[in-house]
Amino acid sequence: CGTPVIGSSSGAIPAGIGPGVLVVPQQHVPALADATTDLCRDPAERARLGRLGLERASRQFTWRAVAGRMAAIYQQLVAAP
């Protein structure tokens, strides 16, 4: 939907949310507050990060993209000896 993402540094979250997001230390409330405040104060950065997230979601998480990855997995399984 074009909303910028802020995630924590916990586990695989940074890898899962991908590039173009703000990552703050796990359980560090002041860092989360600062990141949120920064986005509120910087409409250009907010729009940029929102656009990056929307582009990534449109490439990787549409029904067509997910179905294509699933089909590739099934094709590999069928082709395996």
Side-chain angles (χ1 to χ4, degrees):
C1 66
T3 301
V5 174
I6 302 172
S8 79
S9 61
S10 176
I13 291 174
I17 57 179
V21 301
L22 298 177
V23 177
V24 298
Q26 177 181 343
Q27 297 181 348
H28 195 276
V29 175
L32 177 59
D34 289 345
T36 303
T37 300
D38 291 347
L39 285 176
C40 287
R41 291 181 177 162
D42 190 344
E45 180 68 356
R46 187 171 62 242
R48 185 185 77 80
L49 291 177
R51 187 176 55 256
L52 287 174
L54 186 57
E55 289 169 359
R56 179 173 183 260
S58 296
R59 278 192 319 272
Q60 295 187 352
F61 302 112
T62 63
W63 284 112
R64 182 178 298 274
V66 172
R69 287 195 301 275
M70 291 298 296
I73 291 168
Y74 289 134
Q75 288 171 351
Q76 288 176 352
L77 291 173
V78 170

